[in-house]
Structures are given as C-alpha cells and as structure tokens.
Amino acid sequence: MRVLYFAWLRQRTGTGQEDVSPPPEVATVGALMRWLAGRSAGHAAAFAEPRQVRAAVNQAFCGPEAPIAPGDEVAFFPPVTGG
C-alpha cells in the first residue's frame, strides 16, 4: 500500500510517501491513521487531530470508515478551502 502525505502532514511525518504493509485488521482509513500514528513521533503528531485530516483512497475522497486493501493508494492532506 502506498501512503502519500501532503502539506503539514508531509512536514510532520518527514516524508511525502511511503510504502507500508499494515496488518490485516487495519481495514479502514481510520484504522490506518491509528496504525500509522504508532510508527514514529512525527506520525503521531500528524494524526494527533484526526478530524483535521482528509483522505482519498485511489484518488477518491473518502471518510475514515472507507475500506482499504493491499495495493491501494491512500493520500492524507489537510482540509482544503477555496476562494
């Protein structure tokens, strides 16, 4: 699974992307966020306020309940505002 980080999530994790293999019980975006938060202090800081993080699975916006599977691309980014 490829995980992409944008904006301040990239800064806090120290990477723009990484390939991960979460355990089988990590089956949703929310579970992935919790699992990733345990990888390092930077990851914990990035996911400290999960409501401030938006996600997309395979380039489709989704919520924390969205299912994930091996081979998916999951992107995390801050809320976007327009003007």
Side-chain angles (χ1 to χ4, degrees), residues 5-30:
Y5 303 99
F6 294 93
W8 52 261
L9 289 123
R10 176 189 291 226
Q11 293 171 343
R12 292 179 186 173
T13 61
T15 187
Q17 71 179 30
E18 60 184 333
D19 292 321
V20 299
S21 297
E25 61 270 14
V26 176
T28 65
V29 169

Side-chain angles (χ1 to χ4, degrees), residues 27-73:
T28 65
V29 169
L32 179 63
M33 291 170 67
R34 290 186 294 276
W35 182 78
L36 289 168
R39 291 177 56 86
S40 73
H43 286 80
F47 295 108
E49 294 291 335
R51 288 190 235 164
Q52 295 297 319
V53 178
R54 300 297 178 259
V57 175
N58 299 322
Q59 301 181 5
F61 291 109
C62 64
E65 71 290 340
I68 57 171
D72 282 347
E73 177 187 85

